[in-house]
């Protein structure tokens, strides 16, 4: 009963302030987010391009459909289902995709459905990729939510999750509490936004809450929808590594790694001290993650992939296997086929002539041994680690 009541508040918030507020456009989405490209996500999480491309994707808690539009656009052969608790957000999501043109030729392979994550069992069939960004932490029972999604994941499928982290949201939490204290009508979200804006306008310049807002959030928070999502939300769980892994473990899926791996490199924090790095080798993976977030508490969210077994991460350490494999250029590169371009994370890359010639020869058919040119196999492994190419094992009769 209590849970239904809390969920009704969440529904009311997103019907008042559908999120994200990005305006609709008549153009196809610009660029990419590799996490929403099935091939790129699979190559990252499991080390190999997926064999299957006729897949089904679920955008769970699609909001106003910015992610849905990319999922449709970046996966042209996929069937895409988008669900949300808020009818208002869902209607905008559908409009967004209709207007931009990504739906051309896709119907009925794309549907928008007013279904809650907790009721995902109502959806037909299983999904190869489930995207659930910014949603589970707003459920009355996030564990019930992740279990519900896990049950809809096909064997070998990937679940991409984004949830809030506690440590870097300290100022946000204080502001949320301050607004609530001053608010007469707790569920009047518009009044909450107005009080929040007045507080920021009044705080002294050197105030910690105001400084954080200005440095980190002000750009997106000029939209009331974002401001409300951040400061007047009726239901939010913020995780630590400990509680995050309780959530993950409850799903009974395999953890395949964070999708922002740069943050999780201990070397960037303790790399100057070989002694500390050696001590850290005794830690379990979770303890290592814990150490990283303790030393760099700016973290505001966790994003990661889970997978449904059977899964195997392809191992390219065997030279013969790699020589017989085939390669393709990564689908998320901005500026390719120039020799200098932006990588999957929009970071600049300048290839050497040898790397460039190799990548130009990656046609998805010719064995790597025949196109190596001046590169060695370790160079190829490095291109794959940097997500510049995708590898596939040589076709076997049993595949
Ligand atoms: C912060 S928005 C995120 C939207 C979108 N995923 C994105 O990242 O742009 C959260 C969305 O989750 C939806 N939501 C909350 N609880 C839900 C539930 N139990 N089932 C389905 N959607 C839910 C809300 O209506 C809202 O549209």
């Amino acid at each position: 009963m209590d849970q239904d009541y809390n969920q009704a508040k969440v529904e009311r918030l997103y019907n008042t302030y559908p999120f994200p507020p990005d305006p609709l456009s008549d153009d196809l989405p610009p660029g990419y987010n590799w996490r929403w490209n099935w091939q790129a996500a699979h190559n990252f999480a499991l080390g190999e391009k997926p064999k299957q491309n006729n897949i089904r994707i679920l955008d769970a808690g699609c909001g106003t459909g910015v992610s849905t539009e990319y999922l449709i656009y970046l996966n042209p052969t996929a069937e895409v289902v988008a669900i949300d608790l808020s009818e208002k957000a869902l209607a905008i999501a559908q409009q967004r995709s209709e207007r931009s043109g990504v739906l051309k030729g896709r119907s009925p392979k794309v549907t928008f459905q007013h279904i809650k994550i907790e009721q995902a069992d109502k959806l037909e069939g299983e999904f190869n990729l489930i995207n659930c960004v910014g949603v589970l932490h707003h459920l009355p029972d996030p564990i019930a939510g992740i279990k519900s999604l896990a049950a809809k994941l096909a064997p070998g499928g990937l679940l991409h999750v984004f949830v809030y982290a506690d440590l870097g949201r300290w100022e946000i939490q204080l502001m949320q509490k301050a607004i609530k204290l001053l608010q007469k009508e707790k569920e009047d979200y518009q009044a909450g936004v107005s009080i929040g804006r007045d507080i920021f306008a009044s705080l002294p310049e050197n105030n910690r809450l105001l400084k954080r807002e200005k440095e980190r959030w002000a750009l997106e928070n000029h939209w009331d929808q974002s401001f409300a999502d951040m400061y007047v939300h009726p239901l939010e769980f913020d995780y630590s590594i400990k509680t995050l892994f309780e959530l993950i473990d409850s799903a009974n899926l395999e953890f395949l790694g964070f999708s922002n791996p740069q943050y999780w490199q201990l070397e960037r924090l303790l790399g100057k001290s070989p002694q500390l790095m050696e001590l850290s080798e005794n830690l379990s993976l979770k303890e290592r993650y814990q150490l990283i977030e303790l030393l760099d508490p700016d973290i505001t969210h966790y994003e990661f992939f889970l997978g449904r077994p059977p899964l195997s991460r392809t191992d390219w350490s065997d030279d013969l296997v790699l020589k017989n494999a085939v390669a393709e250029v990564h689908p998320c590169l901005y500026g390719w086929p120039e020799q200098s371009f932006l990588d999957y994370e929009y970071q600049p890359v300048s290839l050497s002539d040898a790397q460039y010639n190799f990548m130009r020869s990656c046609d998805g058919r010719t064995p790597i041994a025949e196109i190596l040119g001046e590169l060695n196999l370790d160079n190829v492994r490095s291109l794959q680690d940097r997500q510049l190419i995708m590898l596939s094992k040589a076709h076997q009769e049993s595949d």
Side-chain angles (χ1 to χ4, degrees):
M1 188 60 194
D2 231 20
Q3 294 207 350
D4 287 351
Y5 179 63
N6 283 333
Q7 191 151 58
K9 290 191 208 167
V10 176
E11 188 174 357
R12 210 155 44 245
L13 173 80
Y14 287 113
N15 279 336
T16 312
Y17 289 116
F19 184 92
D22 306 37
L24 305 188
S25 156
D26 293 324
D27 299 317
L28 290 170
Y32 45 78
N33 178 331
W34 67 269
R35 297 160 191 83
W36 295 329
N37 180 307
W38 162 244
Q39 293 191 346
H42 195 282
N43 192 59
F44 174 87
L46 294 167
E48 187 173 12
K49 188 189 157 191
K51 292 185 182 67
Q52 204 186 348
N53 275 322
N54 263 340
I55 57 151
R56 302 187 76 225
I57 299 177
L58 174 64
D59 198 6
C62 63
T64 64
V66 171
S67 50
T68 320
E69 190 188 28
Y70 273 99
L71 286 164
I72 298 166
Y73 180 58
L74 297 172
N75 301 282
T77 56
E79 177 183 340
V80 179
V81 177
I83 61 169
D84 202 277
L85 175 70
S86 153
E87 265 184 302
K88 201 79 175 278
L90 204 58
I92 297 173
Q94 182 153 7
Q95 262 177 341
R96 183 186 302 283
S97 288
E98 280 166 0
R99 247 182 80 170
S100 76
V102 282
L103 287 181
K104 275 202 189 95
R106 297 294 289 268
S107 181
K109 285 185 83 183
V110 177
T111 54
F112 295 85
Q113 304 184 34
H114 186 217
I115 287 183
K116 295 194 289 191
I117 284 176
E118 294 87 338
Q119 304 166 326
D121 61 340
K122 285 190 179 167
L123 296 165
E124 210 182 287
E126 292 179 322
F127 297 88
N128 308 86
L129 177 63
I130 299 181
N131 181 59
C132 188
V133 167
V135 188
L136 286 176
H137 48 228
H138 296 314
L139 265 55
D141 183 352
I143 288 185
I146 203 167
K147 281 185 173 169
S148 173
L149 293 179
K152 296 306 286 181
L153 199 59
L158 301 177
L159 168 59
H160 183 239
V161 176
F162 171 118
V163 287
Y164 290 147
D166 185 45
L167 288 169
R169 291 178 64 84
W170 187 73
E171 292 87 348
I172 295 173
Q173 293 160 359
L174 298 185
M175 185 67 177
Q176 288 170 341
K177 288 177 193 157
I179 293 172
K180 271 218 178 87
L181 274 177
L182 291 173
Q183 225 178 328
K184 284 200 194 100
E185 228 356 287
K186 307 292 177 211
E187 285 164 48
D188 182 344
Y189 303 120
Q190 278 144 327
V193 168
S194 168
I195 290 172
R197 293 216 183 275
D198 285 349
I199 294 177
F200 278 133
S202 169
L203 288 173
E205 276 305 305
N206 61 354
N207 173 275
R208 181 162 171 173
L209 272 56
L210 180 62
K211 279 205 309 215
R212 179 75 165 172
E213 163 68 13
K214 279 192 171 166
E215 281 162 20
R216 187 80 192 253
W217 308 116
L219 202 63
E220 54 192 274
N221 280 349
H222 80 270
W223 275 312
D224 282 349
Q225 293 94 324
S226 303
F227 195 96
D229 186 56
M230 182 165 290
Y231 292 118
V232 302
H233 210 292
L235 183 61
E236 170 181 320
F237 291 93
D238 294 339
Y239 290 87
S240 64
I241 280 294
K242 184 171 174 294
T243 53
L244 179 76
F245 275 89
E246 284 165 13
L247 177 74
I248 289 175
D249 292 344
S250 75
N252 228 351
L253 299 173
E254 201 173 312
F255 178 69
L256 297 173
F258 290 106
S259 60
N260 57 342
Q262 298 78 4
Y263 175 84
W264 298 103
Q265 304 303 317
L266 187 58
E267 293 71 14
R268 74 186 176 82
L269 299 165
L270 299 183
K272 281 189 196 151
S273 166
Q275 197 189 341
L276 291 175
M277 288 304 291
E278 201 183 312
L279 281 175
S280 76
E281 277 164 24
N282 298 322
L283 301 178
S284 68
L285 193 61
K286 271 184 226 173
E287 287 170 333
R288 209 179 152 85
Y289 292 149
Q290 227 162 6
L291 181 62
I292 293 169
E293 72 169 5
L294 290 172
L295 295 174
D296 188 3
D298 228 16
I299 181 168
T300 56
H301 75 270
Y302 303 99
E303 51 175 271
F304 52 93
F305 285 107
L306 305 179
R308 169 166 291 288
L311 297 158
S312 62
R313 196 179 162 84
T314 310
D315 176 8
W316 298 106
S317 61
D318 182 320
D319 284 357
L320 194 62
V321 172
L322 184 55
K323 277 184 187 165
N324 287 328
V326 295
E328 279 168 66
V329 171
H330 196 275
C332 301
L333 302 180
Y334 197 87
W336 175 262
E338 297 298 320
Q339 198 162 341
S340 296
F341 53 86
L342 302 181
D343 71 4
Y344 72 136
E345 295 283 21
Y346 293 93
Q347 295 304 307
V349 174
S350 273
L351 297 177
S352 68
D353 287 347
Q355 289 170 327
Y356 185 58
N357 292 336
F358 172 80
M359 278 185 58
R360 300 272 327 218
S361 310
C362 289
D363 60 4
R365 288 188 308 276
T366 317
I368 283 179
E370 292 175 31
I371 56 171
L372 262 178
E374 290 171 40
L375 293 191
N376 61 37
L377 291 174
D378 277 343
N379 300 146
V380 175
R381 291 184 183 103
S382 156
L383 291 175
Q384 205 255 355
D385 277 350
R386 294 165 60 196
Q387 306 296 314
L388 297 177
I389 57 171
M390 298 188 296
L391 295 173
S392 308
K393 277 198 182 149
H395 178 73
Q396 286 159 12
E397 290 305 318
S398 58
D399 282 353

